Amino acid sequence: MKYEVIIRPTIFLAIFTAVALFELRSPCRKLTTSKKSRWINNLAIVIGNPLLLRLVFPILAVDMAVIAHERSWGLLNILELPYWSEIVTGIILLDLVIYLQHVMFHSVPLFWRLHMMHHADLDFDLTTGLRFHPIEIMLSMGIKISAICVFGPPVLSVLVFEVILNGMAMFNHGNIKILMQLDRFLRYFVVTPDMHRVHHSVIIRETNSNFGFNLSWWDRLFGTYKAQPEKGHVGMTIGLSQFRDAKKLTLPWLLALPFIGDPGRQPINRH
């Protein structure tokens, strides 16, 4: 889709700005480390990852959806469903893939080493939701492209999903305070900041819960849902127990983390 290069960055900047302002106006927690230092490192990763994807992959998710449609690849290109139904089904299937991928990155020690960069953040805000190791980003894109070949979601479905995924990653990592009643209602449908913050707890059994990014259904369905952190949202500790020195969490150190860092006991299959 020729307008993707306009649509996605525009919506990204709009959501980023909205969540950033919400964090300033109604923060849930006080930050424990320098926001300036964290944002410089995290945003450098945000800028670098899309450039790397363009260099490594000849086609990305939306491009693959176009090819799958033209060649009638995938389940939804075989079934004769109403177009709107294909769009909704495609989004739901891709979201399930992302949930399962997230569980896999917590289960396989090698993949966990890559995912540690995301969890090593000592604070939790919208930039945490965009901070992933470049190798993890490339693996994730490969999984997403494969899923598009298998399921054959419409091009619009993939574009909408990509926009939602980026937007929800910023929203549900936001350091924002939402009324308890509203949070409880939203959780029936989507992953809220309070729900996902549990996943970033230093307590391992909480780290290995609430894997959803968009839809909250998967955690409830597969038994990985945890409603609240043991020590409360203000009292909980964010990050990983083996990485507590903020001075070490620089961009070069973060990029080297999978190769030199202690994986700890977080991988699911170590319990």
Side-chain angles (χ1 to χ4, degrees):
M1 298 182 72
K2 61 182 180 179
Y3 297 115
E4 180 189 3
V5 293
I6 299 174
I7 294 171
R8 291 187 60 184
T10 301
I11 296 177
F12 175 90
L13 289 173
I15 296 174
F16 184 96
T17 302
V19 177
L21 291 174
F22 199 165
E23 288 186 339
L24 288 174
R25 183 165 181 83
S26 184
C28 178
R29 295 165 47 92
K30 290 183 179 180
L31 299 180
T32 61
T33 58
S34 166
K35 182 176 181 178
K36 179 181 177 181
S37 175
R38 286 181 56 256
W39 276 43
I40 288 174
N41 292 320
N42 291 356
L43 293 179
I45 296 166
V46 172
I47 294 169
N49 280 341
L51 297 176
L52 182 63
L53 283 176
R54 284 292 176 185
L55 287 172
V56 173
F57 285 85
I59 58 171
L60 299 180
V62 174
D63 305 312
M64 179 52 73
V66 172
I67 294 172
H69 174 71
E70 291 174 347
R71 301 182 184 182
S72 297
W73 290 350
L75 180 64
L76 294 178
N77 283 314
I78 297 173
L79 299 175
E80 294 185 1
L81 299 176
Y83 184 59
W84 67 267
S85 178
E86 288 185 349
I87 291 175
V88 173
T89 303
I91 292 172
I92 293 173
L93 287 173
L94 289 174
D95 196 58
L96 174 59
V97 169
I98 294 299
Y99 168 86
L100 295 174
Q101 172 192 301
H102 196 177
V103 174
M104 180 182 72
F105 271 84
H106 277 253
S107 304
V108 180
L110 180 62
F111 292 156
W112 167 249
R113 281 186 169 274
L114 298 171
H115 194 57
M116 283 195 305
M117 175 196 270
H118 181 63
H119 280 271
D121 205 340
L122 298 178
D123 281 307
F124 180 90
D125 67 14
L126 80 160
T127 65
T128 309
L130 304 169
R131 164 181 150 155
F132 294 93
H133 197 278
I135 299 177
E136 179 177 358
I137 287 293
M138 289 189 288
L139 286 172
S140 179
M141 181 55 67
I143 292 170
K144 203 181 301 179
I145 287 174
S146 300
I148 291 168
C149 290
V150 171
F151 295 121
V155 177
L156 181 58
S157 181
V158 176
L159 176 59
V160 170
F161 176 77
E162 291 283 77
V163 170
I164 292 173
L165 185 63
N166 282 339
M168 286 298 294
M170 290 184 280
F171 167 70
N172 60 38
H173 285 84
N175 181 30
I176 56 181
K177 186 185 298 182
I178 297 178
L179 291 175
M180 186 179 298
Q181 296 89 337
L182 178 58
D183 177 80
R184 188 181 300 118
F185 173 76
L186 289 175
R187 285 195 196 199
Y188 287 114
F189 309 100
V190 298
V191 177
T192 66
D194 278 5
M195 178 178 167
H196 194 69
R197 192 179 295 110
V198 178
H199 180 71
H200 282 260
S201 167
V202 76
I203 299 173
I204 295 175
R205 63 179 175 275
E206 295 181 349
T207 309
N208 291 325
S209 68
N210 296 7
F211 293 100
F213 261 82
N214 298 329
L215 300 173
S216 60
W217 312 334
W218 310 123
D219 283 298
R220 298 176 188 272
L221 181 63
F222 293 108
T224 55
Y225 177 72
K226 184 170 179 59
Q228 300 295 336
E230 183 179 297
K231 297 185 178 180
H233 289 283
V234 176
M236 68 183 291
T237 301
I238 298 293
L240 300 173
S241 59
Q242 64 268 38
F243 305 122
R244 306 309 306 168
D245 185 357
K247 293 179 181 178
K248 285 186 176 181
L249 298 180
T250 59
L251 181 58
W253 192 88
L254 289 172
L255 292 174
L257 187 60
F259 312 103
I260 64 173
D262 175 10
R265 290 183 50 79
Q266 272 78 10
I268 293 173
N269 65 6
R270 294 195 177 189
H271 300 277

